[in-house]
Amino acid sequence: MCAMARPRKPLLSTDRIVETARALVDTEGLAAVSTRRLAAELGVSGPSLYNHFRTKDEILEAVADSVSAQVDLSMFEDAGREWHTALHDWAVSYRAALRDHPNIVPVLARGPGRRPAGLRLADAVYGAMVRAGWPAAQATSIGALMRYFIMGSALGSFAGGFVDDVSAYDPADYPHLGQAHLLAEQQEKIDERAFETGLTALLDGLARQFEQLP
């Protein structure tokens, strides 16, 4: 009996569609994703995608959730870890995921909606804060605050926003920007330090509020 020939291309699957769409978003942005483009990238016919996703928006939602799934939540399962330490480590992991996939941030910024990984993330943060002793309303506010801060940091680079042309910073107009043309080459270091500075200040402020809880 002859063995069945293997298909020349991998079988189409939800995971394969999401991985391909994520790669497109990463390299070319949200506008690059369409069912026609994805079908071409996957080597399939356009209608075959509809067996897995009904619309482009559903595909982008799945891409967003795949990025949320990359965020480490294990620190919230460690009973011996202080809530503010866990929140710090989670924030660093969350930002790292967004830094690797910045073009999907506008979709993530809409909120978790019905995305499973996004909902698990929100549940983990809220649950950890309530277990630590935060009132429910303030635990909700902390989750929102952290999301604003982390996503805001991923929307763009502060240092990368300055051009490396010294003539753009005439000292007559900008007397304090004499070194601004050097910022772009130190982009990663400056942005990382700024994130850590802001995160530390935010968590220190929360810790003081926590000490004043009745």
Side-chain angles (χ1 to χ4, degrees), residues 48-169:
S48 63
L49 295 177
Y50 297 120
N51 293 324
H52 302 271
F53 296 100
R54 293 174 297 178
T55 65
K56 169 185 171 177
D57 283 345
E58 283 191 2
I59 295 170
L60 292 177
E61 288 287 310
V63 170
D65 213 38
S66 74
V67 173
S68 293
Q70 296 175 14
V71 181
D72 184 12
L73 301 176
S74 64
M75 64 284 296
F76 297 123
E77 300 169 4
D78 183 353
R81 193 177 304 202
E82 295 287 342
W83 65 266
H84 49 83
T85 303
L87 208 56
H88 173 277
D89 295 346
W90 165 75
V92 170
S93 176
Y94 197 176
R95 181 173 182 268
L98 300 187
R99 184 188 57 215
D100 291 342
H101 308 283
N103 291 335
I104 199 64
V105 171
V107 179
L108 285 165
R110 300 171 190 164
R114 297 178 181 272
R115 300 193 296 268
L119 290 170
R120 282 193 295 271
L121 188 153
D123 181 75
V125 175
Y126 176 80
M129 296 306 100
V130 170
R131 287 194 302 274
W134 284 98
Q138 286 175 281
T140 299
S141 296
I142 290 171
L145 169 65
M146 296 301 292
R147 191 167 74 87
Y148 297 153
F149 175 70
I150 297 165
M151 288 197 177
S153 75
L155 285 173
S157 165
F158 171 81
F162 290 85
V163 298
D164 61 0
D165 179 4
V166 67
S167 68
Y169 309 102

Side-chain angles (χ1 to χ4, degrees), residues 186-206:
Q186 299 292 324
Q187 175 179 333
E188 183 174 352
K189 181 187 298 185
I190 292 170
D191 290 348
E192 287 290 339
R193 189 170 61 217
F195 176 77
E196 191 61 39
T197 298
L199 182 59
T200 299
L202 190 157
L203 293 175
D204 285 351
L206 288 176

Side-chain angles (χ1 to χ4, degrees), residues 166-178:
V166 67
S167 68
Y169 309 102
D170 188 329
D173 295 321
Y174 316 109
H176 305 296
L177 297 182

